[in-house]
Amino acid sequence: MGTITWEEFVVGVRHILAVSDSIGDGWHFRGSLEEHGGGYLAKRMDYPVAIGEPSERTLSARVATIDHDSVTEPYEIDPCSIDPDSSFRPVYGEFHVLYSLAHAVPTLYLRAWRRDGSCLEAEELWRDLTAAERRPSSDESERLRSLTQQEHPFLGEPWYHLHPCRTADMMDQIAGNDVGRVDAKRYFIRWMSTVAPLVGCPVSHHYASFR
Amino acid sequence: MAEDREILREIWEGRLPVCFTLATEEVSTPIAPDPFYLMVPRLTYFPLVTDKVRRHFVRCVVPEKHDNEMWLEFEKFPLKWHYPIGLIYDLLVTNSELPWQITVHFDKYPDNKLLKCPSKDVVESHLMHSLKEADALKHKNHIMALMQERDHKQLWLGLLHDRFDQFWSANRKLMEHSAEDGFRYIPFRLYAPQLTSKPFMQYLVKSIENEKRLTLEDLLQRANLNFESKGPFQVVIHGIDLPLETPLQWISEHLSYPDNFLHLCIRYSSP
């Protein structure tokens, strides 16, 4: 199936909030859990800005091309390069987990800001937010990496959004041989641990240990 | 299957007269350019019909800005290009004065408010995304996924080149449903800026419930909002004041925008 109901989404949300509170991970809920599609999970991440220090990217990495937005050339990041102007680097980012009513899956929105208040664009998000979470490119990752700009359904402003269309398929594959209806908590954790790190939002192993 | 084809065509041919003027602070030529008049289809998106507007004005701004993305503004509101033109008009223009006075900008793109639109590909991508969402709401087995790429292209090209027959040759498939049941859920967005800070409201509403065909009134009731609190109101789409007793299935089949969504505006009579 690969999809979840709003009620199951709420079960997942409550779990995230409970664990997050106990480990101080910063996830909180905005809106109403009682109203169908009435709110979303949010988390802010601050990025320490090191001025004049060598880039932390110890592995040479290639930036994947983006499906929908402008196509970027794959390039190698020189591990010895010094960040010439750290004012372009992100200062903080926000990650929102919304429920897609149409596709009946969770969906991720993100945005990152620089010190001057300007926002990072798609290519920069891939480069800067995912440096720490770099994984070898695979077909799976490539397909998941469809970051497009969308109007945030609650805030009305441009945010970057991971397409929900493929989520159901992906979750179907991940569920694999699970029999019957997947447990809502398990679904939510699986989804989040697969998707969030792709865009630089780490998911602690604590979320996977429940009950 | 939509039977009132004349209505489909009338809606398709809806136009708005627009008067485009370049922002005075951006004029760099000794003489300000003439305003540019254009009839724009309600059903399409600004980036698809404003190439001429750009060509007319871009030579009057400083050369450094010649490659900048153009953006439009009405009474200080930056216009969201990803909204159909008719929706923007229904939402923002309450004085009904025509032509619609729109200001053109090339400078200081408000990228904290407006999505980027560097090319028509972005508009196509946006349309496809909306169509998939509408389809997921209407049909359990997604027709968009079963349609061939050729049909997807018919939808896009039909809209791009203003060809009703081309568009509907593919779109009729998306309007299909079993005779008794109607659509699974009605794809719609409700715009009520006087009542909520959200850009729009969207929730699940069926076409038929307990063997009763749901109406526009039923849809409003499920919003859990007191619309009357701000006074008498209308529900407007394509400039039409919709009677509340109209069945949702009919409205969805006949008055949807090309993205297959009903974009319904709540309009109050008094400010």
Side-chain angles (χ1 to χ4, degrees), chain A residues 36 68 101-103 111 121 149-154 156-158 160 163-164, chain B residues 80 82-83 111-116 125 129 133 136-137 198-199 202-204:
Chain A
H36 206 99
H68 299 275
L101 282 172
H103 299 286
R111 202 166 172 187
E121 300 185 15
Q149 265 202 327
Q150 290 283 319
E151 181 181 32
H152 193 294
F154 288 83
E157 294 189 339
Y160 282 96
H163 271 262
Chain B
K80 296 183 182 181
H82 68 287
Y83 282 17
D111 52 17
N112 58 335
K113 289 205 169 76
L114 297 185
L115 306 182
K116 295 185 212 305
S125 186
H129 191 253
E133 189 177 337
L137 286 166
K198 287 169 69 167
Q202 190 173 343
Y203 43 95
L204 297 179

Side-chain angles (χ1 to χ4, degrees), chain A residues 59-164:
Chain A
L59 302 164
S60 66
R62 295 181 62 215
V63 174
T65 51
I66 312 281
D67 286 346
H68 299 275
D69 246 317
S70 53
V71 174
T72 55
E73 302 292 311
Y75 67 95
E76 309 248 280
I77 298 172
D78 183 345
C80 297
S81 68
I82 297 200
D83 219 346
D85 192 341
S86 57
S87 67
F88 284 116
R89 299 200 49 207
V91 176
Y92 72 95
E94 269 197 49
F95 299 89
H96 292 178
V97 177
L98 276 69
Y99 178 72
S100 165
L101 282 172
H103 299 286
V105 291
T107 176
L108 189 65
Y109 284 75
L110 64 143
R111 202 166 172 187
W113 288 262
R114 299 186 191 90
R115 193 200 312 275
D116 65 358
S118 61
C119 290
L120 269 71
E121 300 185 15
E123 309 87 68
E124 296 158 312
L125 282 171
W126 284 127
R127 191 186 61 219
D128 290 330
L129 297 193
T130 63
E133 301 287 335
R134 184 74 58 199
R135 293 175 182 190
S137 270
S138 65
D139 283 321
E140 191 63 46
S141 298
E142 296 289 353
R143 281 196 293 119
L144 290 174
R145 288 185 184 191
S146 330
L147 260 194
T148 56
Q149 265 202 327
Q150 290 283 319
E151 181 181 32
H152 193 294
F154 288 83
L155 304 175
E157 294 189 339
W159 279 61
Y160 282 96
H161 175 230
L162 273 179
H163 271 262

